[in-house]
Amino acid sequence: MFLEGKKIVIMGVANNKSIAWGCAKAMKDQGATLIFTYQNERMEKQLARLAQEDDLLVECDVASDESIRRAFSTIETRVGKIDGLLHAIAYSKKEELGGNISDVSRDGYALAQDVSAFSLLAVSKAAKPLFNKGAGIVTLTYMGSERAIPNYNVMGIAKAALEASVRYMAVEFGQVGVHVNAISAGAIKTLAVSGVSGYKDLIKESDSRTIDGQGVTIEEVGNMAAFLISPLASGVVGDVIYVDKGVHLT
Ligand code: NAD
């Protein structure tokens, strides 16, 4: 169990379909102690049904600096040092995830960037004093950062910013022994993806392009996240690793 004795913060479980939940399960299987953050009371209720008694649940709305500060201060008080941070958070107004990209509103653009890209920098900064040497940060991205995926629009631009943030952060955090990477997951039916217009077609098309015609699972993404967040991946730095069963190849 390569995460035995490691304490890992999991951000982004909305329900049992969430990619963060697949990651949490894989990390738990490898012996990790988990600290979950949730966005609001509604998410807390969902999470409380999934989490085990010894898991710590902490509120953290990444759109608020004060909420981030409070969350990491609570984590420091309750668990002390940590060994990993999983960031699986994204948000855009539904109306921005369809139509012409040039119709994106100033507000909608800023909101998607704030919650989906800037938040990685903000939470990593808050967590920085807590990291043990050998810790890992992992975030979740999508191929829409590199290719024009129908309707993904403003989120594709946010993911491009997120991936660039990973590279800059990898240099800074590498100096304190923390490796930073992203996983580019294939399309999976989750709450977040259902905000994209025509998401059913997106998933169908994506599944049809995998090596075996079956979509990638949150468990498969979770296994990569468990490895990537662990000290075993200390040599993988600032990278975007695809876990999409080959969709990006074709
Ligand atoms: P999800 O809806 O299960 O998770 C999204 C999470 O973001 C939720 O837990 C939500 O509470 C959280 N969130 C949104 N705004 C927040 C805020 N202000 N503060 C705190 N948390 C907030 O969906 P998911 O698909 O599991 O998404 C997780 C990550 O994976 C996202 O970054 C998403 O872009 C990425 N991703 C998803 C897919 C896919 O096809 N589902 C593919 C590649 C990457």
Side-chain angles (χ1 to χ4, degrees):
M1 299 217 287
F2 57 80
L3 291 174
E4 189 82 64
K6 304 289 183 200
K7 293 180 225 161
I8 295 174
V9 178
I10 307 281
M11 310 188 78
V13 177
N15 53 43
N16 65 356
K17 306 273 188 285
S18 294
I19 292 178
W21 183 241
C23 298
K25 284 193 296 178
M27 291 177 198
K28 194 106 189 172
D29 285 350
Q30 293 302 329
T33 299
L34 303 180
I35 301 113
F36 290 95
T37 71
Y38 56 87
Q39 182 184 356
N40 52 32
E41 269 177 39
R42 191 164 55 88
M43 295 301 172
E44 183 186 15
K45 285 195 188 108
Q46 297 272 6
L47 187 55
R49 280 199 276 270
L50 297 172
Q52 294 179 352
E53 258 177 40
D54 56 339
D55 297 331
L56 177 63
L57 312 189
V58 182
E59 182 168 337
C60 184
D61 178 350
V62 299
S64 153
D65 288 336
E66 179 50 24
S67 181
I68 294 173
R69 194 201 57 72
R70 235 183 297 123
F72 283 90
S73 158
T74 305
I75 291 169
E76 183 172 23
T77 309
R78 298 284 300 275
V79 306
K81 294 279 182 190
I82 59 172
D83 303 285
L85 177 70
L86 179 90
H87 172 276
I89 288 176
Y91 182 73
S92 160
K93 291 182 193 173
K94 199 171 163 56
E95 62 264 31
E96 308 293 6
L97 298 173
N100 294 327
I101 186 62
S102 61
D103 288 331
V104 66
S105 68
R106 194 179 289 267
D107 276 4
Y109 185 98
L111 180 64
Q113 286 283 339
D114 186 24
V115 175
S116 317
F118 173 75
S119 67
L120 176 70
L121 304 176
V123 299
S124 302
K125 181 178 178 181
K128 200 172 179 187
L130 308 189
F131 283 124
N132 281 319
K133 231 178 161 33
I137 300 176
V138 175
T139 188
L140 269 300
T141 185
Y142 179 61
M143 186 172 70
S145 62
E146 295 180 274
R147 295 173 189 214
I149 304 287
N151 300 319
Y152 199 64
N153 292 10
V154 72
M155 193 52 70
I157 299 173
K159 291 302 190 192
L162 180 72
E163 291 174 19
S165 307
V166 164
R167 290 185 281 275
Y168 281 93
M169 279 179 54
V171 173
E172 177 189 330
F173 281 71
Q175 288 160 16
V176 292
V178 178
H179 55 290
V180 186
N181 292 287
I183 293 174
S184 187
I188 302 175
K189 189 166 181 260
T190 61
L191 201 60
V193 99
S194 65
V196 181
S197 299
Y199 74 93
K200 286 185 182 150
D201 291 337
L202 174 71
I203 291 177
K204 210 164 131 195
E205 171 76 15
S206 179
D207 288 357
S208 75
R209 285 170 178 259
T210 62
I211 43 165
D212 61 1
Q214 305 288 315
V216 72
T217 64
I218 61 169
E219 287 76 17
E220 287 171 316
V221 177
N223 286 336
M224 174 54 79
F227 163 72
L228 214 47
I229 216 161
S230 79
L232 290 177
S234 57
V236 187
V237 170
D239 265 324
V240 177
I241 312 284
Y242 276 94
V243 182
D244 69 352
K245 292 177 88 179
V247 174
H248 72 287
L249 298 175
T250 61

